[in-house]
Amino acid sequence: MKLSLFDDFRLGVWARDDSIVDVTSVLPETTRPSDRMSALIADWARIESKIRDAARSTGTPRSQVTFRPPQPRPSKILAAPVNHGPHREEMIAAGAFKDVPGTIEKYVAFLKAPSSIVGPDGSIEHPDPTRRIDYEAELGIVIGAPARHVSRGNALSHVFGYLALIDVTMRGDEDRSYRKSFDTFTPLGPAIVTADEIPDPSVLELELSVNGRLRQKGRVADLIYDVPQLIEVYSRAMTLEPGDIIASGTPDGVGPLSPGDEVSLEVSQVPPLTIRVTARDPFHQPSTPGTR
């Protein structure tokens, strides 16, 4: 099943006829619009059959709706640094390491602010023309069941689904969590694909293009810590809550973005994400998701 939030954060299921079916009615009316995906994930075992029944209704052509980020309010975004073999070699060649070359075994994880999330309805806002920002194509893992001290063998049972995610990064000497947490620096969507459709995420491939030119091409199979190991390691340190997102690591080919660029990320078996880059208006105050 492919699930999205669209228009005024309505909850939708993708149908095979290129439409999206509104199934918002399966959730309590009191659910805050931007919390609808979190509520669905937390109550999935009880309401999955109701969603499947509701999804048999007539939908709206997907070309006529506005897709929001499918999970705008995770409690946290965990990201895996230097977790792709070819990307690690790329970083070594570029002189990115000041001392002994590192990988995920050394750095383990960093946190991105949930407020950095943006969907296909928005844009990546370049915050400073004097600084370089880069794209990093990633597979996003959405947690479905609380995970604490989870074993590798049981890890995938805690996954709700997968989505396309771009980890935008400002280059510099500041801490990763600062440089990667600017507003709009975590584009994701347009849909979450439930884990039953992707029983083995290692078979997935990623391709990222900028202005139609291929920049990154990689395999999830080349992750140093694969998806089960990421969940195992991270759940030792903190409880992963339903709706939390893990960014699994980027392939080689990382490069800069400029205002006016259009970025497209295709993850096999997952709807593609396309988003533009704009120059940030320093006087613009973005609205809070779900308050309209």
Side-chain angles (χ1 to χ4, degrees):
M1 193 182 304
K2 297 178 179 66
L3 298 160
S4 292
L5 294 177
F6 67 98
D7 292 346
D8 290 330
F9 292 86
R10 307 294 294 176
L11 178 64
V13 175
W14 289 41
R16 294 182 179 179
D17 63 353
D18 293 329
S19 70
I20 188 164
V21 180
D22 191 330
V23 296
T24 311
S25 61
V26 302
L27 297 175
E29 292 183 2
T30 55
T31 305
R32 184 175 176 173
S34 58
D35 289 334
R36 283 172 176 154
M37 190 62 73
S38 293
L40 176 147
I41 294 169
D43 204 19
W44 182 248
R46 186 183 68 83
I47 64 176
E48 178 185 1
S49 61
K50 295 180 180 179
I51 291 174
R52 293 189 183 277
D53 289 342
R56 296 190 180 99
S57 302
T58 301
T60 301
R62 293 199 292 270
S63 60
Q64 296 180 16
V65 306
T66 299
F67 285 105
R68 309 297 185 183
Q71 170 50 330
R73 288 188 179 272
S75 75
K76 52 189 167 293
I77 306 168
L78 271 164
V82 200
N83 191 36
H84 195 275
H87 177 51
R88 178 180 182 273
E89 298 307 312
E90 173 183 57
M91 292 182 71
I92 292 172
F97 300 107
K98 296 180 180 178
D99 48 15
V100 178
T103 187
I104 190 167
E105 293 95 342
K106 176 179 179 180
Y107 301 118
V108 187
F110 60 89
L111 288 165
K112 296 193 71 169
S115 55
S116 67
I117 288 174
V118 66
D121 57 314
S123 64
I124 299 167
E125 297 178 359
H126 197 309
D128 186 341
T130 69
R131 300 287 295 270
R132 170 174 163 170
I133 67 168
D134 285 1
Y135 53 80
E136 297 185 10
E138 312 220 2
L139 172 68
I141 305 152
V142 183
I143 298 297
R148 184 171 185 268
H149 299 296
V150 171
S151 68
R152 174 188 173 85
N154 193 40
L156 290 183
S157 67
H158 292 262
V159 175
F160 177 75
Y162 302 94
L163 48 71
L165 183 153
I166 302 172
D167 175 20
V168 181
T169 303
M170 176 181 281
R171 297 303 172 194
D173 295 328
E174 302 94 342
D175 183 78
R176 272 189 176 92
S177 292
Y178 172 80
R179 293 185 288 107
K180 291 171 172 280
S181 286
F182 280 70
D183 288 351
T184 74
F185 271 24
T186 310
L188 51 85
I192 299 171
V193 180
T194 52
D196 59 297
E197 293 196 14
I198 306 175
D200 179 9
S202 69
V203 305
L204 301 178
E205 298 183 352
L206 300 85
E207 293 188 358
L208 183 141
S209 300
V210 179
N211 302 325
R213 298 186 64 182
L214 183 65
R215 299 298 188 186
Q216 286 186 284
K217 184 173 184 178
R219 306 184 307 160
V220 174
D222 288 329
L223 293 178
I224 298 167
Y225 280 11
D226 63 9
V227 173
Q229 190 170 4
L230 288 171
I231 295 170
E232 178 184 55
V233 170
Y234 294 161
S235 70
R236 290 177 190 162
M238 65 197 80
T239 301
L240 305 179
E241 302 287 355
D244 283 353
I245 296 172
I246 297 174
S248 59
T250 192
D252 56 325
V254 170
L257 291 171
S258 300
D261 287 342
E262 182 178 81
V263 190
S264 296
L265 171 57
E266 295 189 11
V267 181
S268 49
Q269 302 183 46
V270 175
L273 168 64
T274 298
I275 190 166
R276 297 196 68 84
V277 183
T278 59
R280 176 173 295 176
D281 178 355
F283 302 105
H284 173 64
Q285 297 294 324
S287 59
T288 302
T291 58
R292 61 191 67 188

